[in-house]
Amino acid sequence: MSEAVKLIGTFTCPIVHRVEVALRLKGVPYEFIEEDLGNKSALLLKHNPIYKKVPVLLHGDRQPALCESFVILEYLDEAFPQGPGLLPADPLDRAMARFWARFIDEKCWGPAWVALWAAEGEGKEAAAREAKANLALLEGQLGGKRFFGGDRIGFLDLVASGFAHWLGVYEEMGGTRLLAEDGHLALWRWAREYAADATVRQCLPDREALLAAMASSKERFVSAATAMARK
């Protein structure tokens, strides 16, 4: 019998979504444990005492548990080789996928978060310009392909997946548009291809449910983004 796989996360988090889609692409049965980040469970604090964040992956009795989405994605790729590969086979291509993954989290989501949520006059416009410019650089990596992984979803598509669903929700909540058909056509088309994928749709949260669940977090988002803009 295979070892049980459990994923601690929350449906509102695009970082958790990366791991959930990877599990489904690999054909790995798993139990999703919904976490309340406003009242963190003993289970989460036990298995991620350093960052106290989701996602956290539990694989049977193996210890320690795995934290941080990039680490988990690479682990799944190696631990379950029977499924489709997430990272490219070529060493250089794998290295570049890791590079652009970091670029997404640091250079795209960083300024995007400030642009979406910071108070007016707190570097909001400059952050929006930076985010759009960096999204254009990311878009260039598609190179005419359907997905960053080629004809099928791969590691970099999973890392970028927040732009395919969550960004639109954030844009509606924050009143700022960053990704549009007339500005980033290839990336805009990729986002729709990703969200339409049959495997992705199985764990893509309802838009209205996301809006309702995150409404109470808007003030916290604004506070964090304003602090980021002032650094």
Side-chain angles (χ1 to χ4, degrees):
M1 182 180 293
S2 60
E3 296 174 288
V5 174
K6 299 179 181 181
L7 175 61
I8 304 173
T10 172
F11 83 96
T12 62
C13 179
I15 311 301
V16 173
H17 173 80
R18 297 170 176 174
V19 177
E20 192 170 11
V21 175
L23 286 165
R24 290 180 179 270
L25 289 173
K26 286 288 189 179
V28 179
Y30 66 97
E31 176 187 353
F32 189 92
I33 302 173
E34 183 72 26
E35 178 66 34
D36 179 0
L37 295 179
N39 183 26
K40 295 178 181 179
S41 68
L43 185 66
L44 174 64
L45 298 177
K46 173 185 176 181
H47 291 293
N48 191 358
I50 297 176
Y51 295 113
K52 304 177 178 64
K53 294 180 179 180
V54 293
V56 175
L57 187 83
L58 309 177
H59 188 187
D61 295 327
R62 302 184 186 195
Q63 294 295 329
L66 292 166
C67 310
E68 302 295 302
S69 66
F70 292 176
V71 173
I72 297 173
L73 292 178
E74 294 208 37
Y75 175 79
L76 292 175
D77 213 17
E78 296 179 10
F80 299 97
Q82 71 274 15
L86 301 177
L87 279 158
D90 180 78
L92 178 60
D93 290 341
R94 283 202 303 275
M96 292 310 299
R98 294 182 181 112
F99 170 85
W100 285 104
R102 293 293 177 190
F103 179 85
I104 288 169
D105 275 6
E106 297 171 8
K107 298 296 185 180
C108 293
W109 275 118
W113 201 251
V114 174
L116 288 163
W117 303 111
E120 295 293 340
E122 293 286 354
K124 191 179 183 76
E125 292 185 6
R129 289 193 297 270
E130 181 181 356
K132 290 176 181 179
N134 288 344
L135 286 172
L137 292 174
L138 175 64
E139 181 178 52
Q141 301 310 301
L142 281 166
K145 297 176 293 186
R146 183 184 179 195
F147 296 113
F148 290 103
D151 293 329
R152 58 180 176 82
I153 291 171
F155 176 81
L156 197 55
D157 297 283
L158 297 177
V159 175
S161 60
F163 297 129
H165 190 61
W166 275 261
L167 180 60
V169 175
Y170 296 151
E171 288 175 333
E172 182 174 339
M173 292 176 66
T176 298
R177 191 74 183 272
L178 296 176
L179 181 60
E181 183 178 7
D182 59 355
H184 301 89
L185 179 58
L187 193 59
W188 184 86
R189 286 176 173 169
W190 163 85
R192 274 138 192 80
E193 287 277 3
Y194 177 87
D197 180 84
T199 301
V200 171
R201 288 203 309 270
Q202 295 174 31
C203 52
L204 204 62
D206 177 75
R207 181 185 178 89
E208 294 305 316
L210 276 180
L211 282 166
M214 293 193 297
S216 62
S217 300
K218 184 173 181 178
E219 185 176 338
R220 177 166 53 86
F221 293 165
V222 171
S223 177
T226 301
M228 291 169 63
R230 291 172 178 170
K231 289 183 178 179

